[in-house]
Amino acid sequence: MKLGFLGLGVMGTPMALNLVRAGTPLVVWNRTAAKAEVLRAAGAEVAGSAAEVCRRVDVVFLMLADGAAVDAALDRGGSGFAANVGGRIVVHMGTTSPEYSRGLAAEVAAAGGRYVEAPVSGSRKPAEAGQLVAMLAGEPGAVAQVGPLLAPMCRQVVECGPVPGALLMKLAVNLYLITMVTGLAEATHFAERQGLDLARFVEVLNAGPMASDVSRVKVAKLVARDFEVQAAVADVLKNNQLVAEAARAAGLASPLLDVCHRLYDETLRLGHAGEDMAAVVRAIETRTAAVAGGAGAFAATVPAAANPAPAGD
């Protein structure tokens, strides 16, 4: 089967590279053409447009920022959509709302294509190592074809039933990730401001029952003040909003998530949108400064919310 890959960002580039390095013939495209050069150097073919990729392959992987980017790449709603998706498998690996994915699946099927959700759990480093976990949903025959193709990118593939089961699973996992990393940032802030030896704090945390691959990476970043991006604050805020919307649609409370929503929104508005999610500690530090200086200090430091937290907290 001929494979294509659209979207060479923080996650897409290492994922596509792993396919090429495993010997997979791959045709790639990215809106910013310069980002495709690393794939060309690795042996991939670089197409001049998303439509060219689609029409040259049997399976096209999409690792794009949001639904608008997917729609633009596939020409959804335009005259080229049917030719881009008809007769091939479209694999949506990004994170969008479940309802968006449900609608896209229906339109791909109506145009004669097949559709598989395949969002992944993991950030840049697991992507580089080929250690992502993929969640698949869709028509069983298409899912069975796509699963083995993910081996160079993913250490495990979990089938989640029909669309949008995979994206709902991804949102549930993201809820845990967001609240966990935020709690870790607050704990590190507490330890530092209490004058504890942070090396010993890290030693205790990493030796204890709460330790995980994520906690080990994030606590090291927090202690070193290393906010090089693995999962960007802006992307985490977007994902937080998607989880909150899905919770509200189902009539569910999400109190911890709603607190995190405000903290990531504050971090973004403090100017750290492109930093790693561990930079949420900056919002916590700003709140600490406000406690020391009075409520007015916090109001003066952080502008009015551009993305207010969902109701329910």
Side-chain angles (χ1 to χ4, degrees):
M1 300 178 75
K2 297 179 181 178
L3 307 186
F5 202 104
L6 307 181
L8 302 173
V10 170
M11 293 289 288
T13 292
M15 291 166 69
L17 280 171
N18 283 332
L19 286 171
V20 174
R21 289 166 179 165
T24 306
L26 195 66
V27 185
V28 304
W29 171 86
N30 192 68
R31 185 177 60 180
T32 303
K35 291 185 177 181
E37 291 307 309
V38 66
L39 269 299
R40 190 195 303 276
E45 296 181 56
V46 178
S49 67
E52 180 187 344
V53 173
C54 291
R55 298 181 194 195
R56 289 175 58 184
V57 303
D58 303 301
V59 179
V60 57
F61 295 104
L62 311 177
M63 193 62 184
L64 297 163
D66 51 29
V70 172
D71 291 348
L74 297 179
D75 194 25
R76 187 179 180 196
S79 59
F81 179 74
N84 289 338
V85 305
R88 51 191 53 86
I89 302 175
V90 176
V91 185
H92 175 31
M93 302 192 75
T95 305
T96 58
S97 76
E99 285 309 307
Y100 169 85
S101 184
R102 194 196 305 273
L104 179 59
E107 291 190 28
V108 169
R114 292 187 290 167
Y115 178 84
V116 174
E117 283 180 349
V120 294
S121 179
S123 57
R124 180 171 59 86
K125 287 193 178 296
E128 291 172 344
Q131 292 294 300
L132 298 168
V133 176
M135 293 147 276
L136 300 189
E139 181 268 318
V143 167
Q145 286 185 275
V146 168
L149 302 177
L150 303 179
M153 299 183 283
C154 303
R155 63 179 172 84
Q156 188 167 345
V157 173
V158 180
E159 295 185 13
C160 300
V163 172
L167 272 165
L168 286 169
M169 187 70 74
K170 173 66 186 293
L171 295 184
V173 170
N174 277 1
L175 195 161
Y176 177 53
L177 171 68
I178 292 167
T179 55
M180 178 180 68
V181 172
T182 306
L184 181 61
E186 186 171 333
T188 305
H189 175 65
F190 177 88
E192 188 267 329
R193 295 303 173 96
Q194 292 286 359
L196 299 181
D197 182 326
L198 291 184
R200 291 183 179 177
F201 168 71
V202 172
E203 180 182 1
V204 171
L205 184 68
N206 287 349
M210 294 87 70
S212 67
D213 290 345
V214 171
S215 72
R216 290 186 178 94
V217 169
K218 297 304 184 186
V219 75
K221 293 178 76 66
L222 285 160
V223 169
R225 306 291 294 183
D226 167 21
F227 299 126
E228 182 184 0
V229 67
Q230 293 177 0
V233 165
D235 292 332
V236 173
L237 182 60
K238 180 197 78 171
N239 289 340
N240 193 310
Q241 184 67 35
L242 290 173
V243 180
E245 289 171 355
R248 298 299 174 263
L252 304 176
S254 54
L256 294 180
L257 186 77
D258 296 346
V259 170
C260 294
H261 186 284
R262 281 197 288 274
L263 288 168
Y264 282 97
D265 186 59
E266 290 164 17
T267 305
L268 182 145
R269 289 182 289 109
L270 288 166
H272 308 294
E275 294 183 345
D276 187 72
M277 67 185 298
V280 70
V281 73
R282 298 187 188 277
I284 298 169
E285 291 166 346
T286 299
R287 289 192 179 203
T288 290
V291 170
F298 180 64
T301 303
V302 180
N307 295 291
D313 176 33

